[in-house]
Structure formats: structure tokens, C-alpha cells
Amino acid sequence: MKNIPEKRSESGGLRGPAARDDECADAERETLMMELSRLVQESVRASSWWERRGVDCTILTAAFISLPAGFLLLGSSQMMYFLLGLLMMGVAHAVITVKGTHLASHGALSESPAWARFWAVFFIEVCGSFSARAGVQAHVKMHHAHTNVIGLGDSSTWKMPFLPRSVYLFIAPLAVPIITPIVAVGQLKGQSPLQIMRTVVCVCLGFFSQYYLLRCVSGLSCSSALLVMLLCRAMFSLPYIHVNIFQHIGLPMFSATSRPKRIYQMTNGVLNLPRNPVLDWTFGHSLISCHVEHHLFPFLSENMCLKVKPIVSQFLKEKKLPYQEDGYVSRLRLFFHKYQELMVFAPPITDLVGVQ
């Protein structure tokens, strides 16, 4: 009988059954992610351009097309038409600055790298009043790469422990339009002079373009134009902050030195909210009802996340992996009653026994 040589560890010693079992377990976990990726890739390849990018591009285009009507309605002396214009502007702003910037940060609006960079600057800087470089770094390279890892992608940037819970949850988010450009200025440190100049010019271009149109097309006074800009930009600030904390904080957090494999990290550290006819279309499916799918496959567009959702959920449930879902009101109630534990104190580190 042929002798089978024992595998040796890096230190040169013989590797026993326990070590081989760990290797098999690691291989199985890698196989799970590869198997799921294959299923998703098959769905993507079988999808048309309309499904991959067309639906989302159409929604963004519709938001821009609605802007002229919004500006005209804001110039009406009738309160009903004025409020309708305000609503149209607020919805369009949310679609462009949340859905648009999110897709652009992941390069999901174009297959061309050059166009992807252009859309990132346009949506994040011109429309979103933030630094494209800093936005991509914080969201894609930190939050996605290190989801729920303490000190890296643990969503701690959303925490303001010095604020009372009612102020944080229901009042402070209204200041997001003012805070965003201020934070953007702080993020310019360390960037090249050319990048700083581009960001400043683009942010000013977006801000003063809206101000000019409100003054010249809508016929508003200086103070009224500024107030309308604040109201439009703050209209969806409450759900925006809520969504960003609901889907990660309060879930398992991991140590940078002992994080689990990717499929376990994402399925344990990410949560889906239910379909919402308003937020799904303004913020995008990947931020609301398909957040698990988005973290597993961040290169997918909003519509493709929705399309592969049944594939991902069925696969995870068949493999006995978590597929976390909870309602918006349920999460809001949890954060209201456990605000100190979730938003003030440092989160405990979770060890997934048997998978780390």
C-alpha cells in the first residue's frame, strides 16, 4: 500500500486531523461564496442592458426631467401648486443625490471606467455637495471592504453619542444639507490641489445653479430661495439617516484580526428592510430591500439587486445561513428604546464559533 505523506504546517510540524478539518471547513466556506457568485453571474449574463442598467438610468433621467416643472410650480402664487413643486423638487433631489450618488460611487452607471469616473464626480460633487474621492474611499473601500469590522467599517461615523435620542433620531437629520458640505471641506485634507479645486468648483456649481434657477425661473427672493433649497434637501434626511444606522448597527460586529469569511460577514452583519414604494425608488433597492444582496455583490445595479434577490435569499436559506430582515418601524422602536446601548456605548465583538 502506498504511503500518503502527512501535510506539514508552516513551522514544519505534522498537521493533525483538527488542522485538516479546519482546512476543509475553510474550503467549504469559500465554495459557498463561489457557488452563490456563479448563480448570480449566470443571472447577470442572461439579463438585457435594460435590466442591468437601463431601468436605473431611466429613473435618474426622469428625476432630472421633472426639475423644470418643479421650478415653475415653485413660482406659483397658489399654495397647492407651490407645495407640489416643493414635493417634486424634494423627491428629485433624493433620487439624484442618494440613488444617483450611490450607483456612481460603485461605478454601476457605466461599463466604461472613464464614464464611471465622470458620473462619480457629477453625482457626488455637483449634485451631492461632497468629495468624490472621499466618498468612494469611505463607502466602497472602507464600509464595503470592512463591513461591521470595529474601527474600519462599523458605521461609527453615523454615531453622535452627545445627542439625546429624540434629537438624533428626529431633529438632527434635518441638518444634513448643512453638515454635508462642511464635512466635505474637512475631507479635502491630504488631497492634491487639483482635486481640491475640482471639488470646490463642482460643489459651488451645483449649489449656485439651483439657487440661480430658484431666483430667475421661480422668481423667489434670496431668503425664500435658500429656505426652499434647505427644505428640498432635507425632505428625506430622516429616513436617510435611519436607513444608514438600521441596517448595520445592532448586528454582529467583528474584530479586524478575526473576521469571518466574506459570506458569513455579510449575512450576519447586514439587514434588509421590507419593500417600500417611496424609499425603494428614491433611495434605491440596494439601500432598502436588497441591502444583503448589495453587500454580497456591490457591483450590481439597483434593478439587478432586485432581480437576484430571490436567488440569494433561497440559496442562503438552503445553506442555513442568516438572511436578516426587519421592518422600518420595528428598527426605529428598537433604536429608540436601546439608544444608549446601540448608539452611545462601544459595541461588543462577535465571534462566530466554528466559522472564524
Side-chain angles (χ1 to χ4, degrees):
M1 180 181 294
K2 185 183 291 185
N3 292 326
I4 300 175
E6 292 281 355
K7 290 186 178 180
R8 293 182 175 271
S9 65
E10 292 180 359
S11 60
L14 292 177
R15 305 190 69 173
R20 289 195 295 271
D21 288 345
D22 288 342
E23 276 190 348
C24 292
D26 284 343
E28 182 181 356
R29 289 191 285 274
E30 292 294 345
T31 302
L32 285 175
M33 191 64 206
M34 291 172 63
E35 185 180 348
L36 179 57
S37 297
R38 179 179 57 78
L39 294 173
V40 170
Q41 289 289 357
E42 287 175 358
S43 178
V44 172
R45 284 193 292 269
S47 302
S48 63
W49 177 87
W50 172 255
E51 291 177 303
R52 294 196 308 272
R53 304 188 194 277
V55 173
D56 294 306
C57 289
T58 300
I59 294 171
L60 290 172
T61 302
F64 282 106
I65 291 174
S66 70
L67 290 177
F71 282 114
L72 291 172
L73 287 169
L74 283 169
S76 173
S77 58
Q78 297 188 32
M79 182 59 68
M80 185 180 70
Y81 290 143
F82 177 84
L83 292 176
L84 179 60
L86 190 66
L87 178 63
M88 289 180 67
M89 289 286 288
V91 171
H93 183 268
V95 172
I96 294 167
T97 60
V98 180
K99 181 186 179 76
T101 56
H102 190 223
L103 285 168
S105 69
H106 286 283
L109 290 173
S110 175
E111 295 179 3
S112 164
W115 275 109
R117 287 192 295 270
F118 170 80
W119 290 125
V121 172
F122 175 75
F123 279 102
I124 300 174
E125 297 191 350
V126 177
C127 303
S129 302
F130 201 74
S131 163
R133 183 175 179 271
V136 171
Q137 173 69 25
H139 182 70
V140 178
K141 298 181 180 180
M142 293 300 292
H143 175 63
H144 272 273
H146 308 286
T147 302
N148 285 30
V149 174
I150 299 292
L152 295 172
D154 57 2
S155 300
S156 59
T157 54
W158 297 103
K159 294 184 177 183
M160 293 184 180
F162 56 88
L163 291 179
R165 63 181 179 182
S166 296
V167 174
Y168 179 88
L169 292 172
F170 304 113
I171 299 175
L174 299 175
V176 166
I178 299 171
I179 295 172
T180 300
I182 295 174
V183 174
V185 171
Q187 294 295 323
L188 295 178
K189 185 179 180 181
Q191 296 190 28
S192 68
L194 187 62
Q195 288 175 327
I196 293 174
M197 184 180 298
R198 184 200 68 195
T199 299
V200 171
V201 169
C202 287
V203 170
C204 290
L205 176 64
F207 181 87
F208 286 109
S209 295
Q210 186 181 14
Y211 175 79
Y212 175 81
L213 291 170
L214 286 171
R215 292 275 284 152
C216 297
V217 177
S218 304
L220 300 179
S221 65
C222 176
S223 57
S224 297
L226 292 174
L227 179 60
V228 165
M229 289 177 67
L230 178 61
L231 292 174
C232 291
R233 295 175 179 227
M235 190 174 293
F236 286 86
S237 293
L238 260 70
Y240 175 73
I241 294 297
H242 292 169
V243 164
N244 276 285
I245 63 174
F246 288 174
Q247 295 180 316
H248 293 285
I249 296 175
L251 299 177
M253 294 284 170
F254 311 108
S255 165
T257 57
S258 61
R259 69 173 70 186
K261 296 293 183 179
R262 178 177 175 79
I263 193 166
Y264 288 94
Q265 179 183 352
M266 300 307 170
T267 53
N268 282 276
V270 186
L271 175 142
N272 282 346
L273 296 172
R275 292 291 300 274
N276 183 297
V278 176
L279 298 182
D280 258 302
W281 294 104
T282 50
F283 290 3
H285 306 299
S286 65
L287 289 179
I288 306 300
S289 58
C290 303
H291 204 53
V292 173
E293 290 76 10
H294 172 62
H295 267 263
L296 286 168
F297 305 100
F299 59 87
L300 294 180
S301 66
E302 308 280 2
N303 189 63
M304 282 307 303
C305 281
L306 185 63
K307 183 176 180 179
V308 304
K309 181 181 175 73
I311 298 173
V312 173
S313 61
Q314 181 180 351
F315 178 88
L316 296 180
K317 290 171 183 176
E318 286 178 355
K319 302 300 181 180
K320 309 298 183 185
L321 291 169
Y323 187 75
Q324 305 195 78
E325 298 175 293
D326 198 4
Y328 188 102
V329 175
S330 172
R331 296 298 286 177
L332 182 59
R333 189 182 297 116
L334 174 69
F335 274 74
F336 186 81
H337 292 297
K338 294 189 175 182
Y339 180 77
Q340 291 284 327
E341 177 184 336
L342 297 174
M343 301 298 293
V344 177
F345 301 140
I349 294 176
T350 300
D351 287 322
L352 301 178
V353 178
V355 300
Q356 288 180 272

